[in-house]
PDB file of all heavy atoms in Angstrom:
ATOM      1  N   GLU A 838     -19.949   7.576  10.622  1.00  0.00           N
ATOM      2  CA  GLU A 838     -19.709   8.896  10.586  1.00  0.00           C
ATOM      3  C   GLU A 838     -19.955   9.580   9.258  1.00  0.00           C
ATOM      4  O   GLU A 838     -20.368  10.678   9.210  1.00  0.00           O
ATOM      5  CB  GLU A 838     -18.149   9.112  10.893  1.00  0.00           C
ATOM      6  CG  GLU A 838     -17.730  10.591  11.033  1.00  0.00           C
ATOM      7  CD  GLU A 838     -18.427  11.311  12.173  1.00  0.00           C
ATOM      8  OE1 GLU A 838     -18.863  10.638  13.132  1.00  0.00           O
ATOM      9  OE2 GLU A 838     -18.735  12.467  11.998  1.00  0.00           O
ATOM     10  N   GLU A 849     -27.321  21.516   5.033  1.00  0.00           N
ATOM     11  CA  GLU A 849     -26.662  22.777   4.870  1.00  0.00           C
ATOM     12  C   GLU A 849     -26.665  23.235   3.465  1.00  0.00           C
ATOM     13  O   GLU A 849     -26.627  24.436   3.185  1.00  0.00           O
ATOM     14  CB  GLU A 849     -25.243  22.763   5.556  1.00  0.00           C
ATOM     15  CG  GLU A 849     -25.200  22.569   6.965  1.00  0.00           C
ATOM     16  CD  GLU A 849     -25.888  23.895   7.695  1.00  0.00           C
ATOM     17  OE1 GLU A 849     -25.712  25.035   7.329  1.00  0.00           O
ATOM     18  OE2 GLU A 849     -26.613  23.506   8.586  1.00  0.00           O
ATOM     19  N   LEU A 877       0.689  -0.721  12.613  1.00  0.00           N
ATOM     20  CA  LEU A 877       0.676  -1.560  13.841  1.00  0.00           C
ATOM     21  C   LEU A 877       1.329  -2.902  13.466  1.00  0.00           C
ATOM     22  O   LEU A 877       2.221  -3.372  14.148  1.00  0.00           O
ATOM     23  CB  LEU A 877      -0.730  -1.798  14.304  1.00  0.00           C
ATOM     24  CG  LEU A 877      -1.252  -0.807  15.224  1.00  0.00           C
ATOM     25  CD1 LEU A 877      -2.822  -1.286  15.531  1.00  0.00           C
ATOM     26  CD2 LEU A 877      -0.543  -0.861  16.536  1.00  0.00           C
ATOM     27  N   ALA A 878       0.967  -3.523  12.323  1.00  0.00           N
ATOM     28  CA  ALA A 878       1.521  -4.793  11.926  1.00  0.00           C
ATOM     29  C   ALA A 878       3.010  -4.702  11.713  1.00  0.00           C
ATOM     30  O   ALA A 878       3.800  -5.639  12.036  1.00  0.00           O
ATOM     31  CB  ALA A 878       0.768  -5.326  10.705  1.00  0.00           C
ATOM     32  N   ALA A 880       5.111  -2.232  12.776  1.00  0.00           N
ATOM     33  CA  ALA A 880       5.896  -1.744  13.937  1.00  0.00           C
ATOM     34  C   ALA A 880       6.198  -3.017  14.834  1.00  0.00           C
ATOM     35  O   ALA A 880       7.311  -2.974  15.430  1.00  0.00           O
ATOM     36  CB  ALA A 880       4.975  -0.825  14.762  1.00  0.00           C
ATOM     37  N   TRP A 887       6.945   2.280   4.226  1.00  0.00           N
ATOM     38  CA  TRP A 887       7.685   2.462   2.928  1.00  0.00           C
ATOM     39  C   TRP A 887       8.670   1.253   2.843  1.00  0.00           C
ATOM     40  O   TRP A 887       9.019   0.764   1.744  1.00  0.00           O
ATOM     41  CB  TRP A 887       8.328   3.727   2.905  1.00  0.00           C
ATOM     42  CG  TRP A 887       9.478   4.092   3.832  1.00  0.00           C
ATOM     43  CD1 TRP A 887       9.370   4.688   5.011  1.00  0.00           C
ATOM     44  CD2 TRP A 887      10.823   3.601   3.711  1.00  0.00           C
ATOM     45  NE1 TRP A 887      10.437   4.714   5.764  1.00  0.00           N
ATOM     46  CE2 TRP A 887      11.522   4.140   4.954  1.00  0.00           C
ATOM     47  CE3 TRP A 887      11.565   3.033   2.870  1.00  0.00           C
ATOM     48  CZ2 TRP A 887      12.787   3.909   5.091  1.00  0.00           C
ATOM     49  CZ3 TRP A 887      12.920   2.792   3.055  1.00  0.00           C
ATOM     50  CH2 TRP A 887      13.546   3.248   4.170  1.00  0.00           C
ATOM     51  N   LEU A 892      10.625  -3.728   0.262  1.00  0.00           N
ATOM     52  CA  LEU A 892      11.048  -5.170   0.487  1.00  0.00           C
ATOM     53  C   LEU A 892       9.976  -6.215  -0.199  1.00  0.00           C
ATOM     54  O   LEU A 892      10.484  -7.191  -0.734  1.00  0.00           O
ATOM     55  CB  LEU A 892      10.934  -5.502   2.049  1.00  0.00           C
ATOM     56  CG  LEU A 892      12.102  -4.682   2.854  1.00  0.00           C
ATOM     57  CD1 LEU A 892      11.955  -5.060   4.242  1.00  0.00           C
ATOM     58  CD2 LEU A 892      13.464  -4.999   2.294  1.00  0.00           C
ATOM     59  N   ALA A 894       8.037  -5.625  -2.774  1.00  0.00           N
ATOM     60  CA  ALA A 894       8.217  -5.551  -4.213  1.00  0.00           C
ATOM     61  C   ALA A 894       9.398  -6.461  -4.563  1.00  0.00           C
ATOM     62  O   ALA A 894       9.120  -7.224  -5.672  1.00  0.00           O
ATOM     63  CB  ALA A 894       8.397  -4.068  -4.754  1.00  0.00           C
ATOM     64  N   ARG A 896      10.548  -9.089  -2.906  1.00  0.00           N
ATOM     65  CA  ARG A 896      10.027 -10.410  -2.712  1.00  0.00           C
ATOM     66  C   ARG A 896       9.116 -10.951  -3.759  1.00  0.00           C
ATOM     67  O   ARG A 896       9.203 -12.139  -4.001  1.00  0.00           O
ATOM     68  CB  ARG A 896       9.323 -10.478  -1.166  1.00  0.00           C
ATOM     69  CG  ARG A 896       9.010 -11.797  -0.836  1.00  0.00           C
ATOM     70  CD  ARG A 896      10.059 -12.774  -0.467  1.00  0.00           C
ATOM     71  NE  ARG A 896       9.682 -13.937   0.240  1.00  0.00           N
ATOM     72  CZ  ARG A 896       9.405 -15.102  -0.497  1.00  0.00           C
ATOM     73  NH1 ARG A 896       9.522 -15.175  -1.780  1.00  0.00           N
ATOM     74  NH2 ARG A 896       9.014 -16.078   0.256  1.00  0.00           N
ATOM     75  N   GLN A 912       6.672   0.246  -9.168  1.00  0.00           N
ATOM     76  CA  GLN A 912       5.866  -0.515  -8.227  1.00  0.00           C
ATOM     77  C   GLN A 912       5.552   0.250  -6.907  1.00  0.00           C
ATOM     78  O   GLN A 912       4.410   0.010  -6.243  1.00  0.00           O
ATOM     79  CB  GLN A 912       6.585  -1.857  -7.882  1.00  0.00           C
ATOM     80  CG  GLN A 912       6.551  -2.787  -8.959  1.00  0.00           C
ATOM     81  CD  GLN A 912       7.058  -4.110  -8.616  1.00  0.00           C
ATOM     82  OE1 GLN A 912       6.753  -4.616  -7.556  1.00  0.00           O
ATOM     83  NE2 GLN A 912       7.578  -4.798  -9.514  1.00  0.00           N
ATOM     84  N   ARG A 923      15.605   5.594  -0.086  1.00  0.00           N
ATOM     85  CA  ARG A 923      15.035   4.326   0.496  1.00  0.00           C
ATOM     86  C   ARG A 923      15.961   3.097   0.421  1.00  0.00           C
ATOM     87  O   ARG A 923      16.240   2.417   1.312  1.00  0.00           O
ATOM     88  CB  ARG A 923      13.725   4.012  -0.127  1.00  0.00           C
ATOM     89  CG  ARG A 923      12.626   5.151   0.414  1.00  0.00           C
ATOM     90  CD  ARG A 923      11.273   4.780  -0.122  1.00  0.00           C
ATOM     91  NE  ARG A 923      10.428   5.806   0.476  1.00  0.00           N
ATOM     92  CZ  ARG A 923       9.077   5.838   0.299  1.00  0.00           C
ATOM     93  NH1 ARG A 923       8.588   5.005  -0.395  1.00  0.00           N
ATOM     94  NH2 ARG A 923       8.447   6.763   0.860  1.00  0.00           N
ATOM     95  N   ASP A 925      19.228   3.291  -0.006  1.00  0.00           N
ATOM     96  CA  ASP A 925      20.370   3.512   0.927  1.00  0.00           C
ATOM     97  C   ASP A 925      20.001   3.168   2.310  1.00  0.00           C
ATOM     98  O   ASP A 925      20.927   2.424   2.982  1.00  0.00           O
ATOM     99  CB  ASP A 925      20.803   5.012   0.850  1.00  0.00           C
ATOM    100  CG  ASP A 925      21.436   5.563  -0.428  1.00  0.00           C
ATOM    101  OD1 ASP A 925      21.865   4.652  -1.262  1.00  0.00           O
ATOM    102  OD2 ASP A 925      21.432   6.747  -0.647  1.00  0.00           O
ATOM    103  N   GLU A 934      20.724  -5.306  -0.870  1.00  0.00           N
ATOM    104  CA  GLU A 934      22.082  -5.031  -1.375  1.00  0.00           C
ATOM    105  C   GLU A 934      22.112  -4.491  -2.731  1.00  0.00           C
ATOM    106  O   GLU A 934      21.069  -4.931  -3.518  1.00  0.00           O
ATOM    107  CB  GLU A 934      22.989  -6.211  -1.165  1.00  0.00           C
ATOM    108  CG  GLU A 934      22.455  -7.454  -1.965  1.00  0.00           C
ATOM    109  CD  GLU A 934      23.351  -8.655  -1.680  1.00  0.00           C
ATOM    110  OE1 GLU A 934      24.495  -8.601  -1.107  1.00  0.00           O
ATOM    111  OE2 GLU A 934      22.922  -9.799  -2.081  1.00  0.00           O
ATOM    112  N   LEU A 936      23.816  -4.492  -6.481  1.00  0.00           N
ATOM    113  CA  LEU A 936      24.700  -5.349  -7.245  1.00  0.00           C
ATOM    114  C   LEU A 936      24.835  -4.752  -8.672  1.00  0.00           C
ATOM    115  O   LEU A 936      23.896  -4.006  -9.144  1.00  0.00           O
ATOM    116  CB  LEU A 936      24.222  -6.783  -7.505  1.00  0.00           C
ATOM    117  CG  LEU A 936      23.847  -7.574  -6.153  1.00  0.00           C
ATOM    118  CD1 LEU A 936      22.992  -8.731  -6.583  1.00  0.00           C
ATOM    119  CD2 LEU A 936      25.178  -7.929  -5.494  1.00  0.00           C
ATOM    120  N   GLN A 954      14.298 -10.759   3.288  1.00  0.00           N
ATOM    121  CA  GLN A 954      13.294 -11.679   2.959  1.00  0.00           C
ATOM    122  C   GLN A 954      12.515 -12.111   4.226  1.00  0.00           C
ATOM    123  O   GLN A 954      11.272 -12.249   4.202  1.00  0.00           O
ATOM    124  CB  GLN A 954      13.870 -12.881   2.232  1.00  0.00           C
ATOM    125  CG  GLN A 954      12.819 -13.847   1.797  1.00  0.00           C
ATOM    126  CD  GLN A 954      13.340 -15.142   1.130  1.00  0.00           C
ATOM    127  OE1 GLN A 954      14.483 -15.029   0.586  1.00  0.00           O
ATOM    128  NE2 GLN A 954      12.629 -16.182   1.114  1.00  0.00           N
ATOM    129  N   ARG A 956      12.171 -10.562   6.938  1.00  0.00           N
ATOM    130  CA  ARG A 956      11.446  -9.465   7.518  1.00  0.00           C
ATOM    131  C   ARG A 956      10.146  -9.205   6.659  1.00  0.00           C
ATOM    132  O   ARG A 956       9.050  -9.003   7.112  1.00  0.00           O
ATOM    133  CB  ARG A 956      12.223  -8.089   7.557  1.00  0.00           C
ATOM    134  CG  ARG A 956      11.750  -7.022   8.285  1.00  0.00           C
ATOM    135  CD  ARG A 956      11.946  -7.123   9.858  1.00  0.00           C
ATOM    136  NE  ARG A 956      13.330  -7.089  10.286  1.00  0.00           N
ATOM    137  CZ  ARG A 956      13.912  -6.024  10.538  1.00  0.00           C
ATOM    138  NH1 ARG A 956      13.357  -4.786  10.502  1.00  0.00           N
ATOM    139  NH2 ARG A 956      15.192  -5.993  10.969  1.00  0.00           N
ATOM    140  N   LEU A 961       4.354  -9.438   6.076  1.00  0.00           N
ATOM    141  CA  LEU A 961       3.200  -9.819   5.192  1.00  0.00           C
ATOM    142  C   LEU A 961       2.203 -10.712   6.055  1.00  0.00           C
ATOM    143  O   LEU A 961       0.900 -10.502   6.080  1.00  0.00           O
ATOM    144  CB  LEU A 961       3.618 -10.545   3.888  1.00  0.00           C
ATOM    145  CG  LEU A 961       2.468 -10.998   3.087  1.00  0.00           C
ATOM    146  CD1 LEU A 961       1.725  -9.861   2.599  1.00  0.00           C
ATOM    147  CD2 LEU A 961       2.933 -11.887   1.844  1.00  0.00           C
ATOM    148  N   LEU A 964       0.370  -8.408   8.443  1.00  0.00           N
ATOM    149  CA  LEU A 964      -0.467  -7.541   7.794  1.00  0.00           C
ATOM    150  C   LEU A 964      -1.777  -8.263   7.302  1.00  0.00           C
ATOM    151  O   LEU A 964      -2.906  -7.809   7.507  1.00  0.00           O
ATOM    152  CB  LEU A 964       0.128  -6.938   6.472  1.00  0.00           C
ATOM    153  CG  LEU A 964      -0.770  -6.148   5.664  1.00  0.00           C
ATOM    154  CD1 LEU A 964      -1.370  -4.911   6.171  1.00  0.00           C
ATOM    155  CD2 LEU A 964      -0.145  -5.711   4.236  1.00  0.00           C
ATOM    156  N   GLN A 967      -4.019  -8.754  10.132  1.00  0.00           N
ATOM    157  CA  GLN A 967      -4.845  -7.419  10.433  1.00  0.00           C
ATOM    158  C   GLN A 967      -5.956  -7.263   9.448  1.00  0.00           C
ATOM    159  O   GLN A 967      -7.104  -6.931   9.780  1.00  0.00           O
ATOM    160  CB  GLN A 967      -3.925  -6.261  10.342  1.00  0.00           C
ATOM    161  CG  GLN A 967      -2.850  -6.133  11.474  1.00  0.00           C
ATOM    162  CD  GLN A 967      -3.435  -5.472  12.757  1.00  0.00           C
ATOM    163  OE1 GLN A 967      -4.673  -4.989  12.678  1.00  0.00           O
ATOM    164  NE2 GLN A 967      -2.682  -5.406  13.788  1.00  0.00           N
ATOM    165  N   GLU A 968      -5.687  -7.513   8.134  1.00  0.00           N
ATOM    166  CA  GLU A 968      -6.682  -7.338   7.171  1.00  0.00           C
ATOM    167  C   GLU A 968      -7.774  -8.295   7.219  1.00  0.00           C
ATOM    168  O   GLU A 968      -8.921  -8.039   6.925  1.00  0.00           O
ATOM    169  CB  GLU A 968      -5.941  -7.301   5.787  1.00  0.00           C
ATOM    170  CG  GLU A 968      -5.152  -6.024   5.631  1.00  0.00           C
ATOM    171  CD  GLU A 968      -4.451  -5.929   4.242  1.00  0.00           C
ATOM    172  OE1 GLU A 968      -4.522  -6.856   3.518  1.00  0.00           O
ATOM    173  OE2 GLU A 968      -3.930  -4.741   3.899  1.00  0.00           O
ATOM    174  N   LEU A 972     -11.791  -7.419   7.591  1.00  0.00           N
ATOM    175  CA  LEU A 972     -12.794  -7.878   6.483  1.00  0.00           C
ATOM    176  C   LEU A 972     -13.803  -9.065   7.226  1.00  0.00           C
ATOM    177  O   LEU A 972     -14.582  -9.492   6.539  1.00  0.00           O
ATOM    178  CB  LEU A 972     -12.097  -8.539   5.371  1.00  0.00           C
ATOM    179  CG  LEU A 972     -11.351  -7.539   4.568  1.00  0.00           C
ATOM    180  CD1 LEU A 972     -10.616  -8.314   3.433  1.00  0.00           C
ATOM    181  CD2 LEU A 972     -12.401  -6.574   3.845  1.00  0.00           C
ATOM    182  N   GLY A 973     -13.523  -9.278   8.503  1.00  0.00           N
ATOM    183  CA  GLY A 973     -14.256 -10.365   9.175  1.00  0.00           C
ATOM    184  C   GLY A 973     -15.711 -10.274   9.216  1.00  0.00           C
ATOM    185  O   GLY A 973     -16.471 -11.186   9.313  1.00  0.00           O
ATOM    186  N   LEU A 975     -17.560  -9.324   6.617  1.00  0.00           N
ATOM    187  CA  LEU A 975     -18.055  -9.577   5.256  1.00  0.00           C
ATOM    188  C   LEU A 975     -18.012 -11.011   5.008  1.00  0.00           C
ATOM    189  O   LEU A 975     -17.028 -11.745   5.383  1.00  0.00           O
ATOM    190  CB  LEU A 975     -17.228  -8.959   4.277  1.00  0.00           C
ATOM    191  CG  LEU A 975     -17.197  -7.343   4.415  1.00  0.00           C
ATOM    192  CD1 LEU A 975     -16.300  -6.717   3.351  1.00  0.00           C
ATOM    193  CD2 LEU A 975     -18.691  -6.778   4.338  1.00  0.00           C
ATOM    194  N   GLY A 985     -14.272  -6.527  -6.717  1.00  0.00           N
ATOM    195  CA  GLY A 985     -14.635  -6.227  -8.130  1.00  0.00           C
ATOM    196  C   GLY A 985     -15.086  -4.778  -8.227  1.00  0.00           C
ATOM    197  O   GLY A 985     -14.620  -4.085  -9.307  1.00  0.00           O
ATOM    198  N   GLN A 989     -13.071  -1.783 -10.414  1.00  0.00           N
ATOM    199  CA  GLN A 989     -13.549  -0.895 -11.420  1.00  0.00           C
ATOM    200  C   GLN A 989     -13.166   0.581 -11.258  1.00  0.00           C
ATOM    201  O   GLN A 989     -12.781   1.345 -12.110  1.00  0.00           O
ATOM    202  CB  GLN A 989     -15.065  -0.925 -11.403  1.00  0.00           C
ATOM    203  CG  GLN A 989     -15.617  -2.204 -12.172  1.00  0.00           C
ATOM    204  CD  GLN A 989     -17.114  -2.195 -12.153  1.00  0.00           C
ATOM    205  OE1 GLN A 989     -17.758  -2.612 -11.246  1.00  0.00           O
ATOM    206  NE2 GLN A 989     -17.612  -1.562 -13.248  1.00  0.00           N
ATOM    207  N   PRO A 993      -8.728   2.388 -13.895  1.00  0.00           N
ATOM    208  CA  PRO A 993      -8.221   3.469 -14.712  1.00  0.00           C
ATOM    209  C   PRO A 993      -7.053   4.265 -14.262  1.00  0.00           C
ATOM    210  O   PRO A 993      -6.300   4.711 -15.104  1.00  0.00           O
ATOM    211  CB  PRO A 993      -9.583   4.377 -14.734  1.00  0.00           C
ATOM    212  CG  PRO A 993     -10.761   3.506 -14.409  1.00  0.00           C
ATOM    213  CD  PRO A 993     -10.123   2.534 -13.504  1.00  0.00           C
ATOM    214  N   ILE A 997      -2.948   4.147 -16.563  1.00  0.00           N
ATOM    215  CA  ILE A 997      -2.775   5.354 -17.265  1.00  0.00           C
ATOM    216  C   ILE A 997      -1.249   5.185 -17.863  1.00  0.00           C
ATOM    217  O   ILE A 997      -0.374   4.827 -17.259  1.00  0.00           O
ATOM    218  CB  ILE A 997      -2.699   6.465 -16.403  1.00  0.00           C
ATOM    219  CG1 ILE A 997      -4.167   6.772 -15.801  1.00  0.00           C
ATOM    220  CG2 ILE A 997      -2.195   7.829 -17.130  1.00  0.00           C
ATOM    221  CD1 ILE A 997      -4.298   7.904 -14.760  1.00  0.00           C
TER     222      ILE A 997
END
Side-chain angles (χ1 to χ4, degrees):
E838 187 59 30
E849 295 298 317
L877 275 173
W887 67 264
L892 295 177
R896 180 68 171 94
Q912 291 191 31
R923 289 178 176 187
D925 289 345
E934 60 186 347
L936 303 169
Q954 181 180 342
R956 195 78 69 88
L961 179 62
L964 174 64
Q967 289 276 355
E968 290 183 348
L972 294 171
L975 301 178
Q989 281 183 271
I997 295 172

